[in-house]
Amino acid sequence: RVDSSLCYGLDAIGELLRLDNSFHDLVRLYGKEFHQAWDNLLPAIKSGDSAFALTFGMEHFDYLTARPALARRFDRSMAATTRLIADRLNAVYNFPTTSTVVDIGGGNGELLRAVLRRNQDIRGVLADRDHVVASVVIEPGLADRLTLCPVDFFVEVPAGHEVYLLARVLHDWNNEDCVRILRVCRQACGPAAVVLIIERLLPDRDTESLAIAWDMQMLTITGGRERTSTAEVVPALVGFQAAVPRLS
């Protein structure tokens, strides 16, 4: 942009590129690997594979596992957008006092830490792949309330806790894999447990929504999808309370 004195400067979009901007890593990620993957969208639609796998020879999360520096960038990218929804989650759900919240696939724990800061009487368990939790640094103020737990959430998650959080996890996976994840959650839950599912929901009618564009993005990168609130994966949680906070 050019100001009144004819000096050049960054506009709002350009500010995202600054190293000190929390969205810097997100811009780099979407401008490189994710952008490249879109070149193979049509072959992916025809084959049923993800465009990312066709482009890079392996699926998205395996690609990140093999590249620790890129995996850290991905975690920082997700944390930047997570900050935008943390206040919304705290506003729409009252976490039970003295409960333990298990954040499944929670990355670097940005969302869970926000929940713990807001709710001083609860504890948290960050459950994600071993290479993810290995890089998490817990600030001193939460050291006695936040536990790191390396897991494969297709196999098991920490059992017997009061609240289970799946924040923007299910949209990474196809229906069959989502049902697998939810069944593992169900096995871990006690009869009074609550499962919180946070996703960007597709609209139920013909209207503009960011979720529609994100549906294509998930198809391209992970082979997953965005869903409606009545999606067929939800019955895997029958018998348990569930909440689906809207992000859009």
Side-chain angles (χ1 to χ4, degrees):
R1 63 176 173 83
V2 181
D3 62 21
S4 58
S5 61
L6 300 182
C7 292
Y8 286 90
L10 294 174
D11 60 12
I13 295 177
E15 288 286 344
L16 299 177
L17 300 175
R18 290 173 55 102
L19 289 174
D20 59 354
N21 191 292
S22 60
F23 283 87
H24 172 77
D25 289 297
L26 188 70
V27 172
R28 292 182 64 192
L29 188 66
Y30 277 74
K32 190 176 180 183
E33 286 86 0
F34 285 3
H35 185 267
Q36 290 175 251
W38 275 82
D39 289 340
N40 280 310
L41 178 59
L42 182 58
I45 292 173
K46 291 180 177 179
S47 68
D49 298 316
S50 72
F52 192 98
L54 292 177
T55 303
F56 296 102
M58 64 181 72
E59 293 294 349
H60 166 252
F61 289 111
D62 294 330
Y63 186 86
L64 293 178
T65 300
R67 294 162 176 80
L70 182 60
R72 301 290 76 75
R73 182 188 304 165
F74 175 79
D75 289 340
R76 292 192 298 269
S77 299
M78 297 302 101
T81 57
T82 294
R83 296 181 194 114
L84 300 178
I85 68 170
D87 287 344
R88 177 61 177 161
L89 173 60
N90 281 316
V92 300
Y93 183 75
N94 293 319
F95 289 89
T97 302
T98 71
S99 63
T100 296
V101 180
V102 182
D103 190 359
I104 302 169
N108 69 357
E110 183 70 30
L111 180 59
L112 182 57
R113 289 199 295 270
V115 169
L116 295 180
R117 294 188 199 104
R118 178 74 174 268
N119 302 271
Q120 298 295 318
D121 295 324
I122 68 174
R123 303 178 65 84
V125 178
L126 180 62
D128 210 319
R129 299 174 75 175
D130 52 1
H131 75 277
V132 175
V133 299
S135 66
V136 174
V137 177
I138 304 176
E139 58 261 47
L142 297 178
D144 61 338
R145 293 195 292 132
L146 178 55
T147 302
L148 305 180
C149 183
V151 299
D152 177 353
F153 55 55
F154 285 107
V155 178
E156 63 177 347
V157 297
H161 298 295
E162 293 81 10
V163 181
Y164 289 82
L165 180 59
L166 282 164
R168 298 182 300 173
V169 170
L170 298 183
H171 74 166
D172 287 328
W173 307 97
N174 61 33
N175 287 354
E176 292 76 16
D177 285 336
C178 284
V179 170
R180 289 171 60 200
I181 295 168
L182 292 172
R183 283 176 175 163
V184 168
C185 292
R186 184 177 179 180
Q187 290 169 0
C189 289
V194 176
V195 177
L196 301 178
I197 301 172
I198 302 178
E199 294 288 353
R200 185 177 279 109
L201 296 176
L202 288 170
D204 296 321
R205 58 185 183 279
D206 187 15
T207 184
E208 291 188 8
S209 171
L210 183 60
I212 296 172
W214 231 252
D215 192 34
M216 294 299 297
Q217 174 73 2
M218 301 318 299
L219 169 66
T220 303
I221 304 305
T222 68
R225 59 190 297 184
E226 305 294 355
R227 296 174 172 88
T228 67
S229 59
T230 57
E232 56 270 37
V233 301
V234 174
L237 285 172
V238 168
F240 294 85
Q241 302 176 66
V244 188
R246 292 182 176 271
L247 303 186
S248 56

